[in-house]
């Protein structure tokens, strides 16, 4: 695994080996949540079996959700890409959903996975 594919973590502050270890530790307890998000974001079930690092893709998405929430809540300044990023996140998670509760459920899963990943990474230092 290379963090080159993890664009949200590829900023020089994260160490590749610790990222891999933190993701592996997170997957022990949260594999079901990763799969649940993968089924929403990757609608073709065969993609998970053919995609080598689908867990990294889901983690990137979760980190995007957390970063976007900082913007939505006013903790981070608005970027030029913020509106497009927000709409993309909402469209990806809203596909085939029938209520805001379902959307909020997946936003919560993504946000919590991101927070847990960062906490595990922090404790590995």
């Amino acid at each position: 695994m290379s963090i080159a594919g993890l664009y949200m973590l590829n900023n020089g502050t994260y160490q590749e080996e610790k990222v891999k270890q933190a993701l592996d530790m997170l997957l022990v307890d949260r594999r079901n949540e990763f799969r649940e998000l993968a089924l929403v974001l990757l609608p073709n079930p065969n993609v998970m079996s053919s995609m080598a690092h689908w867990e990294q893709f889901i983690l990137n998405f979760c980190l995007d959700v957390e970063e976007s929430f900082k913007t939505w809540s006013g903790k981070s300044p608005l970027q030029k890409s913020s509106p497009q990023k927000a709409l993309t996140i909402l469209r990806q998670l809203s596909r085939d959903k029938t209520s805001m509760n379902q959307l909020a459920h997946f936003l919560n899963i993504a946000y919590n996975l991101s927070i847990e990943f960062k906490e595990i990474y922090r404790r590995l230092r």
Side-chain angles (χ1 to χ4, degrees), residues 26-44:
L26 182 62
L27 285 169
V28 168
D29 290 332
R30 300 288 181 226
R31 186 166 295 279
N32 288 337
E33 286 87 347
F34 271 81
R35 285 187 189 280
E36 193 173 354
L37 277 175
L39 290 174
V40 171
L41 298 173
L42 308 167
N44 184 350

Side-chain angles (χ1 to χ4, degrees), residues 78-124:
L78 220 61
Q79 303 293 320
K80 288 182 181 181
S81 63
S82 294
Q84 183 66 33
K85 192 177 199 178
L87 285 174
T88 301
I89 288 170
L90 293 175
R91 285 195 57 132
Q92 286 176 316
L93 288 179
S94 297
R95 188 179 315 135
D96 298 329
K97 303 299 173 286
T98 57
S99 72
M100 286 294 290
N101 289 336
Q102 291 174 337
L103 172 61
H105 171 72
F106 287 106
L107 283 170
N108 284 331
I109 290 173
Y111 180 81
N112 289 335
L113 287 174
S114 177
I115 295 296
E116 285 185 42
F117 170 80
K118 286 184 175 179
E119 183 60 26
I120 291 169
Y121 183 89
R122 186 185 66 78
R123 290 182 180 187
L124 289 176

Side-chain angles (χ1 to χ4, degrees), residues 3-50:
I3 65 169
L6 291 166
Y7 63 89
M8 290 297 293
L9 299 176
N10 199 3
N11 59 13
T13 59
Y14 291 92
Q15 297 173 2
E16 188 171 330
E17 193 55 42
K18 287 185 181 179
V19 167
K20 180 182 180 346
Q21 188 178 4
L23 179 57
D24 289 343
M25 291 175 73
L26 182 62
L27 285 169
V28 168
D29 290 332
R30 300 288 181 226
R31 186 166 295 279
N32 288 337
E33 286 87 347
F34 271 81
R35 285 187 189 280
E36 193 173 354
L37 277 175
L39 290 174
V40 171
L41 298 173
L42 308 167
N44 184 350
N46 297 332
V47 172
M48 284 177 20
S49 60
S50 64

